[in-house]
């Protein structure tokens, strides 16, 4: 008979796999940047935000904050490494203004994370309290990230076209949210549940919109692959939260 712990680990591993592919989805964008030796109009904002998000979830999953959450650490640690690689490529090929922006935001994020870590360890001395304070921060930042696809959804409704909302990315976001919600319910974790519940809802709405407006999308548009910048704007912000 499968124990609760085993079931949770299996679901968590599935979540790690789906989340990994979501984290890897911007690779074509950065291959293009590398080949062109230019970031063109590409923006680093989604990846700077994801660095912060992943960092908070890594901290949340550490044993001295939330015990038995190693799978939260593994996927967000992997995601953090990939996002740092992406932002490094951006920094190398960006103009001076872009480099300054990245540098300033990285410094701000490091200072913020340092303050969060120090306050958590110095002022909260139980797992419950540490989980609560870090979990609330994770939910806040995760909610802001999951709200960003609203601009894409608005564009779909306005144009009655799904050209700028790739189906498989929306499906992956939905499945990712569902898997991590299941993980949170097996051994109840409110913060993973809220964050990924919002992700599942966001993904579900995108799929509903896709079903509603697929038929009204001109076939030449539906078959046309969105540009890498458009893809990065979508998948760079809808990141897995656990």
């Amino acid at each position: 008979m499968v124990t609760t712990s085993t079931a949770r680990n299996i679901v968590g591993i599935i979540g790690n796999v789906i989340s990994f592919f979501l984290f890897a989805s911007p690779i074509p964008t950065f291959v293009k940047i590398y080949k062109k030796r230019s970031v063109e109009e590409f923006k680093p904002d989604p990846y700077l935000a994801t660095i912060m998000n992943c960092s908070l979830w890594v901290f949340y999953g550490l044993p001295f904050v939330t015990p038995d959450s190693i799978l939260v650490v593994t996927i967000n640690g992997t995601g953090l490494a990939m996002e740092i690689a992406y932002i490094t490529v951006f920094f190398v090929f960006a103009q001076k203004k872009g480099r300054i922006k990245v540098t300033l935001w990285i410094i701000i994020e490091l200072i913020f994370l340092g303050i969060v870590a120090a306050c958590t360890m110095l002022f909260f001395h139980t797992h419950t309290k540490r989980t609560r304070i870090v979990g609330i921060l994770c939910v806040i930042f995760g909610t802001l990230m999951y709200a960003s696809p609203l601009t894409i959804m608005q564009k779909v409704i306005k144009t009655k076209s799904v050209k700028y909302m790739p189906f498989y990315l929306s499906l992956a976001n939905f499945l990712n949210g569902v898997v991590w919600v299941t993980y949170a319910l097996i051994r109840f974790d409110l913060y993973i549940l809220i964050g990924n519940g919002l992700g599942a809802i966001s993904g579900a709405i995108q799929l509903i919109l896709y079903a509603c407006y697929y038929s009204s999308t001109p076939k030449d548009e539906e078959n046309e692959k969105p540009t890498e910048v458009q893809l990065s704007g979508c998948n760079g912000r809808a990141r897995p939260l656990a």
Side-chain angles (χ1 to χ4, degrees):
M1 185 175 178
V2 178
T3 64
T4 300
S5 178
T6 301
R8 188 170 183 262
N9 286 336
I10 291 172
V11 173
I13 291 171
I14 295 172
N16 270 240
V17 173
I18 297 176
S19 297
F20 175 80
F21 284 107
L22 283 173
F23 279 127
S25 59
I27 288 177
T29 298
F30 289 93
V31 170
K32 182 177 180 179
I33 289 175
Y34 177 79
K35 288 180 177 179
K36 289 194 172 185
R37 297 292 195 271
S38 171
V39 299
E40 300 179 319
E41 296 182 5
F42 180 73
K43 305 296 183 184
D45 305 44
Y47 303 93
L48 290 168
T50 306
I51 286 174
M52 172 63 76
N53 188 61
C54 287
S55 298
L56 285 171
W57 279 109
V58 167
F59 186 54
Y60 176 87
L62 292 176
F64 48 79
V65 178
T66 309
D68 302 320
S69 297
I70 187 63
L71 291 173
V72 175
V73 175
T74 55
I75 188 54
N76 283 286
T78 301
L80 177 60
M82 296 173 76
E83 299 301 324
I84 291 174
Y86 298 152
I87 212 67
T88 300
V89 173
F90 178 91
F91 184 87
V92 169
F93 296 110
Q95 299 297 319
K96 183 178 179 180
K97 183 178 179 180
R99 292 183 178 185
I100 292 174
K101 178 179 182 177
V102 168
T103 302
L104 288 176
W105 275 106
I106 291 296
I107 291 173
I108 291 171
E109 290 184 358
L110 287 173
I111 292 173
F112 178 76
L113 289 168
I115 292 173
V116 170
C119 290
T120 300
M121 300 308 295
L122 291 174
F123 301 121
F124 303 97
H125 302 295
T126 66
H127 288 138
T128 300
K129 291 180 179 179
R130 290 174 178 173
T131 296
R132 182 185 303 122
I133 188 65
V134 180
I136 289 172
L137 290 173
C138 288
V139 169
I140 291 172
F141 279 92
T143 300
L144 293 175
M145 292 182 67
Y146 271 131
S148 59
L150 291 174
T151 56
I152 302 293
M153 298 182 203
Q154 184 180 21
K155 189 167 189 176
V156 169
I157 295 171
K158 185 177 180 180
T159 62
K160 300 187 185 303
S161 169
V162 296
K163 175 182 176 180
Y164 299 103
M165 192 173 67
F167 171 76
Y168 290 108
L169 186 59
S170 299
L171 179 61
N173 277 318
F174 171 70
L175 293 176
N176 183 72
V178 169
V179 168
W180 284 107
V181 164
T182 304
Y183 176 89
L185 289 173
I186 292 176
R187 199 192 71 186
F188 190 72
D189 187 311
L190 177 63
Y191 307 105
I192 293 178
L193 177 63
I194 293 174
N196 288 282
L198 292 173
I201 292 171
S202 174
I205 293 173
Q206 290 177 53
L207 291 175
I208 292 170
L209 287 176
Y210 196 94
C212 290
Y213 293 108
Y214 175 79
S215 60
S216 62
T217 302
K219 292 307 176 183
D220 56 338
E221 286 190 9
E222 194 272 329
N223 292 327
E224 181 182 344
K225 180 182 177 182
T227 66
E228 301 297 347
V229 173
Q230 290 164 346
L231 281 174
S232 67
C234 182
N235 62 44
R237 295 170 186 168
R239 291 298 184 201
L241 290 182

